Amino acid sequence: MQAQVTQARAAQRRRRDLWAAGAGLVAVGTAVVLGELTASLVSPTVSPVTAVGGAVIDAVPPGVKEWAISLFGTADKVALLGGMALVIAALAALSGVLEVRRRFAGVALIAVFGVVGLVAVVSRADLTANAIPVPILVALVGIALLRWLIRKLLKWQPAAAEVQPPTTALSETLAETPAEAPPADHTPAGHAAGDAGPARRRFLLALGGTAAVAAVAGVLASTLRGAAAVVTDVRSKLALPAPAAPAPRIPAAAEIRLDGLGPLVTPNRDFYRIDTALRVPLVDPVTWTVKVTGMVEREIEIDFATLLAKPLTERHVTIACVSNEVGGDLIGNARWLGWPVRELLALAGPKSGADMVLSRSTDGWTAGTPLEALTDGRDALLAVGMNGEPLPLEHGFPVRLIVPGLYGYVSATKWVTELKVTRYADDVAYWTPRGWSERGPIKTSSRIDVPQDGRSVSAGTVVFGGVAWAQHTGIGKVELRVNRGDWKQAELAPGISKDTWYQWKLALPLTPGRHEVQVRATALDGVPQVEESAPVAPSGATGYHTVRVDVKS
């Protein structure tokens, strides 16, 4: 008899815990969505979710970031948001279970949510005063909804101790005496025939109604985020001025026609994106300015209209992420339009002893660029255009930096708002204290795009093709070897300039079997690509890109 009572109570507890977990999910989920809706109205650039996500990105070790980029590529932020959603859902469900078992235990967990969100929001560089109350609001709404739903749940699913033992043959026999028989409608407290049905309906209506509110708020938040991005409309109507120095004409033979080989100029929609912004910053060009501060004779500030009125330069430049593995695709070539950074710095007059420019994004991210690279005559630009149109939002609209010859983490600041002339001894950029090298020159490298690794090809002549790069130095030659044999020189297209990648191709006779093919490039200055394999940290990957092909007879 006692065992049956214990089993009944355990079953009741499991049912109640499941519904409590659902209540926690709905309560916290609704609070989070309402918080995002509120943030879209009062603080479009910072919300609790983006603040926590940004804090996570800042806090995780570089090795974890590299693992995420290698695993998810440019979808790393989607993966982070998905992971955050799973963690929030698990903790929300736990808050419901804790609250139904012990009053205020779940409330305490939500309060911790609120503190974490508040700390994350306050830590963001693009913090506004309006953003501070939002995580507090999220916590208070979550607490109120959880308490409300749990109270309704307990009216339907009371504490397990109130569950009556199941009727058994023995108990029926002992209860045959009329004086001892309970009333026909006797049920546990809270489960009276007249109460259980309505209590259940009230709980389910509350749960479903709250979930519906969350859904509507989510749609509104998404809509308002889009509306807040009035920037999108401004960008679509923006007409860029004609360049004073147009990009040189692309040589006719610069692009090799070979199936599977990507275009010489990367379309905007296909251009890689790697940054720390969980949500793309929305910067209104009407209010945008960039300041030159620090070790200068005079501080300078210009707005977007002034920038567009300058004599702009248009150049093809290939940029690459330091996280690009050997053979990776975190690299792209585009036609950029902008004002030479050296012209802006000349107006400010850098002081003697300065050797670095710390560029800052609107979201607080920083890059440390050698002052020399911004003043030595290369086409380092305050870019406003990409492939004939204004910069896409995700690529830095309205203004970003482009510096040939340097990895993006030390040069390619998007949504740039400040250039601080300083010294490496005095300032550090975002990635340097996280274990990356200070100056980040791009290393000579090459890649086989056709055929891809592991592909089967027919015996005979097989045409290989790919790209090679040594930005701001240029490529002198590309060679391939089969099964570690002699190197054979490939046909190298003329390329657009020394600041872009070059395409190449080579036809090789291959017999049936499995073959290993490697590629190496040599820069125009005669320095060959490094053969020794090295990881991306701390200064960029090295090694020969290798593919293996199965040759069928």
Side-chain angles (χ1 to χ4, degrees), residues 304-329:
F304 192 62
T306 302
L307 177 59
L308 292 186
K310 298 293 184 181
L312 303 183
T313 296
E314 187 180 54
R315 292 291 185 267
H316 287 93
V317 178
T318 297
I319 62 173
C321 179
V322 71
S323 296
N324 197 34
E325 301 278 359
V326 172
D329 59 0

Side-chain angles (χ1 to χ4, degrees), residues 38-101:
T38 303
S40 68
L41 293 169
V42 303
S43 175
T45 58
V46 180
S47 74
V49 170
T50 59
V52 171
V56 170
I57 291 173
D58 292 347
V60 298
V64 176
K65 291 187 178 75
E66 291 310 312
W67 170 82
I69 292 173
S70 64
L71 184 62
F72 300 108
T74 55
D76 57 336
K77 294 168 187 63
V78 175
L80 174 59
L81 286 172
M84 287 177 59
L86 290 175
V87 171
I88 291 172
L91 293 176
L94 177 60
S95 72
V97 175
L98 291 175
E99 187 65 24
V100 82
R101 290 185 178 184

